[in-house]
Amino acid sequence: MKDSNLKIYLASGDDGQRKVLQTNLELLTHRIELSTSSPAVMIRRCQENPPDIAVVGTRFESDDCFKLLNELSELNVCPAVAVLEHQDIDRSHRLMADQVMGVLVQPVNDRDLRTAIYLARRRFDQSKLMKQRIDELKETLENIDDESEEASHE
């Protein structure tokens, strides 16, 4: 899995934070295809055309970052990295959904982001493979149940 030149969607309600994150992501040669302060725009774009990774900051006007991160997780279309502030870390238990694969605390740099993105993408792929395997096992069990039901009717 190639970890450079990824399609990134970035959301933060803080313009300064968003600019710093964007600069650091561009240092890693990623393509920032969305940079927004709107959680609704982030959700809509992830549904329409999922990115390789979503990076979510803080300080949204209408929603908090935890709500956005959990919504992204429910969509399950891309891995997400949260970039929290120190005061948010006590509330990070709200990130209970599985697809929030990375959490960083500000200030962050390109090395922090590189590591978080790498791990988030790997965990997301592992999660997808596990779900696929579970679906295959369920199908196998259903087939076994169907065969035993047919055998008992004969």
Side-chain angles (χ1 to χ4, degrees):
M1 177 184 301
K2 187 178 168 191
D3 277 324
S4 61
N5 201 28
L6 300 175
K7 177 172 67 171
I8 307 281
Y9 289 177
L10 171 61
S12 174
D14 181 311
D15 290 340
Q17 180 192 49
R18 199 167 57 252
K19 287 176 187 169
V20 167
L21 288 170
Q22 183 165 341
T23 299
N24 280 294
L25 289 164
E26 288 170 346
L27 284 174
L28 299 172
T29 68
H30 297 310
R31 294 171 292 132
I32 311 303
E33 293 196 7
L34 173 67
S35 179
T36 184
S37 62
S38 169
V41 169
M42 174 67 106
I43 294 293
R44 188 183 81 247
R45 290 285 302 277
C46 285
Q47 287 173 318
E48 293 170 355
N49 185 13
D52 294 313
I53 193 145
V55 177
V56 177
T58 58
R59 298 188 186 177
F60 295 101
E61 268 185 38
S62 59
D63 289 317
D64 71 16
C65 63
F66 299 106
K67 182 178 178 204
L68 172 56
L69 288 159
N70 285 324
E71 284 182 46
L72 287 172
S73 181
E74 287 175 22
L75 287 175
N76 196 25
V77 294
C78 67
V81 172
V83 181
L84 304 177
E85 297 178 45
H86 287 281
Q87 64 268 24
D88 293 324
I89 209 66
D90 291 335
R91 299 183 312 144
S92 65
H93 66 279
R94 292 180 56 198
L95 297 174
M96 299 307 292
D98 285 337
Q99 303 316 319
V100 177
M101 303 276 179
V103 177
L104 295 171
V105 178
Q106 290 191 79
V108 299
N109 59 36
D110 58 316
R111 290 183 314 265
D112 298 329
L113 286 164
R114 175 182 285 128
T115 303
I117 288 168
Y118 174 85
L119 293 172
R121 294 187 72 225
R122 296 305 173 285
R123 284 196 59 215
F124 184 76
D125 288 343
Q126 290 169 345
S127 173
K128 284 173 45 180
L129 286 172
M130 190 180 317
K131 184 180 178 335
Q132 179 183 354
R133 182 69 181 133
I134 289 168
D135 291 344
E136 290 169 358
L137 289 170
K138 283 179 181 177
E139 186 177 325
T140 300
L141 287 172
E142 287 172 5
N143 290 338
I144 291 171
D145 286 343
D146 291 345
E147 289 172 7
S148 16
E149 219 175 88
E150 288 173 12
S152 67
H153 284 89
E154 291 178 359

